[in-house]
Amino acid sequence: MERKVTLAHGDGGELAHKLIQQIFISAFGNGHAARFDSAYLSLKSGEIAVTTDSFVVRPLFFPGGDIGKIAVSGTVNDLAVAGAIPLYLTAGFIIEEGFSLADLRKIVQSLAEEAGKAGVRVVAGDTKVVEKGGADGVYINTTGVGLQRAGSSVDPSRIEAGDDIVVSGTIGDHGIAILAARGELGLMTDLESDCASLNKMIAALIDGGCDVKMMRDPTRGGVATTLVEIAEDFGAVLEIEERTLPIRNEVKGACDILGFDPLYLANEGKVILVVSHADCPQALDILRRFPEGENTAVIGHVAGRGRGTGQLLLETPLGSKRRIHRLSGMMLPRIC
């Protein structure tokens, strides 16, 4: 087999057939479905959740993950934070002519492994090859399908004053890990991306009966932008405390040097929750049982709701409060 992807790998002929058989079907193990133009899926009755996402992260391989892993975890997490059970994925690959077949195989294997860990099946896919310079290695588009989880209490209309705001671990790890992997700005660190599928941790939380009213994964735009969107979308005043934000020393140091605010750095393995104050201790206990949630912390609370509201406020260590706005401009392009 050739060592590089050529345009002929995308022409639907013999090389395309070999590419699909030897790299994709061998990794996903769904040869039967691959003989048809569509996959038939079995779903129990109820509402389904559907999400789609595209991944153009640079570099393709980074500490703690790669574009294949993040393509699964990003899509799985979008379903999980909506209160759904992730079940199926599709994956479309845009591949640049000349891309290493060995690297493509690593990416596909990583995608398959993460899908296995998350308990989802990759049921359909597509490959297209573009001329050299028409892409930057590999881009992946995924679509995820899930089923609404019975017993889920996720309903942002129930958010009320006194609810706690929780984040499931240290913030900004992914953003700084990607920046270091690019070798830009002279930044060197052993920090790994937090890239991970969170559906099993979230399932334990919901099955444990915790009164979770809202969940979001703070990816691009970070914790600040995610909380601003929640506040504006659902008419709430949210207050967070700077002293309670879980931030690794490596991230603090990098932000001090580069002038970044960790509140706006991307995360790929964290969830923000709005949970009733009464159930917050139980939620913390469940989340901290998982490696992905061991640094879970309460970072603030809902201060109020009502027409004309919709603000995120940050309380500084000195006790003053300032309004936080969503990310403006481009902080780190191609972060996922």
Side-chain angles (χ1 to χ4, degrees):
M1 193 172 183
E2 293 76 7
R3 294 185 177 181
K4 302 285 186 181
V5 174
T6 69
L7 288 175
H9 282 106
D11 69 359
E14 181 63 20
L15 280 179
H17 176 75
K18 287 182 178 179
L19 183 77
I20 293 169
Q21 292 291 329
Q22 295 177 4
I23 292 184
F24 292 94
I25 291 179
S26 65
F28 301 144
N30 52 1
H32 175 76
R35 290 180 293 178
F36 304 95
D37 284 344
S38 297
Y40 281 96
L41 310 176
S42 296
L43 292 171
K44 296 178 181 177
S45 61
E47 288 194 62
I48 66 169
V50 179
T51 186
T52 192
D53 210 341
S54 298
F55 298 87
V56 298
V57 64
R58 181 174 64 85
L60 298 174
F61 299 92
F62 50 84
D66 56 55
I67 192 172
K69 181 179 180 182
I70 201 173
V72 173
S73 63
T75 308
V76 163
N77 291 344
D78 281 346
L79 291 169
V81 297
I85 304 171
L87 295 173
Y88 302 109
L89 291 180
T90 70
F93 286 71
I94 308 295
I95 310 168
E96 182 186 19
E97 177 190 14
F99 188 70
S100 162
L101 280 167
D103 284 347
L104 180 61
R105 189 183 300 277
K106 288 180 188 175
I107 290 168
V108 174
Q109 287 290 345
S110 177
L111 193 154
E113 288 174 10
E114 187 63 19
K117 289 179 185 176
V120 298
R121 288 178 52 203
V122 181
V123 295
D126 184 43
T127 60
K128 292 291 187 294
V129 179
V130 297
E131 67 278 5
K132 194 169 184 60
D136 187 5
V138 172
Y139 302 148
I140 302 176
N141 175 269
T142 54
T143 294
V145 178
L147 196 64
Q148 185 182 40
R149 181 179 296 277
S152 170
S153 61
V154 177
D155 179 2
S157 68
R158 298 193 304 111
I159 293 175
E160 60 185 357
D163 289 341
D164 287 320
I165 302 171
V166 174
V167 64
S168 65
T170 53
I171 65 175
D173 298 1
H174 180 72
I176 295 301
I178 290 293
L179 193 62
R182 289 177 183 171
E184 296 175 351
L185 305 178
L187 182 63
M188 296 182 66
T189 174
D190 295 329
L191 187 67
E192 293 191 349
S193 165
D194 58 355
C195 171
S197 298
L198 304 177
N199 55 318
K200 293 183 179 178
M201 182 176 75
I202 291 172
L205 191 69
I206 294 175
D207 292 344
C210 293
D211 187 10
V212 178
K213 301 179 181 181
M214 180 71 191
M215 291 187 287
R216 288 283 301 274
D217 53 340
T219 54
R220 287 177 298 173
V223 167
T225 299
T226 301
L227 287 175
V228 168
E229 290 175 349
I230 293 174
E232 292 181 350
D233 289 347
F234 303 105
V237 176
L238 308 180
E239 291 188 5
I240 57 175
E241 298 178 51
E242 189 173 346
R243 64 177 181 81
T244 63
L245 297 174
I247 307 172
R248 295 185 192 278
N249 288 333
E250 300 95 315
V251 174
K252 286 181 181 176
C255 287
D256 287 344
I257 294 171
L258 303 173
F260 290 156
D261 186 336
L263 276 173
Y264 292 102
L265 288 174
N267 310 272
E268 288 294 337
K270 299 296 184 304
V271 56
I272 290 177
L273 307 102
V274 178
V275 58
S276 72
H277 182 68
D279 282 6
C280 191
Q282 182 188 3
L284 296 179
D285 179 60
I286 293 173
L287 291 170
R288 288 169 179 165
R289 295 175 194 169
F290 291 81
E292 298 87 356
E294 62 182 358
N295 294 312
T296 294
V298 180
I299 62 172
H301 66 280
V302 178
R305 286 201 68 182
R307 186 180 296 275
T309 58
Q311 296 181 14
L312 173 64
L313 303 175
L314 175 71
E315 182 178 322
T316 70
L318 297 177
S320 61
K321 295 180 182 178
R322 63 183 174 93
R323 186 172 181 179
I324 302 294
H325 299 274
R326 59 168 45 83
L327 178 65
S328 177
M330 187 175 294
M331 190 171 179
L332 291 173
R334 295 182 60 185
I335 200 74
C336 60

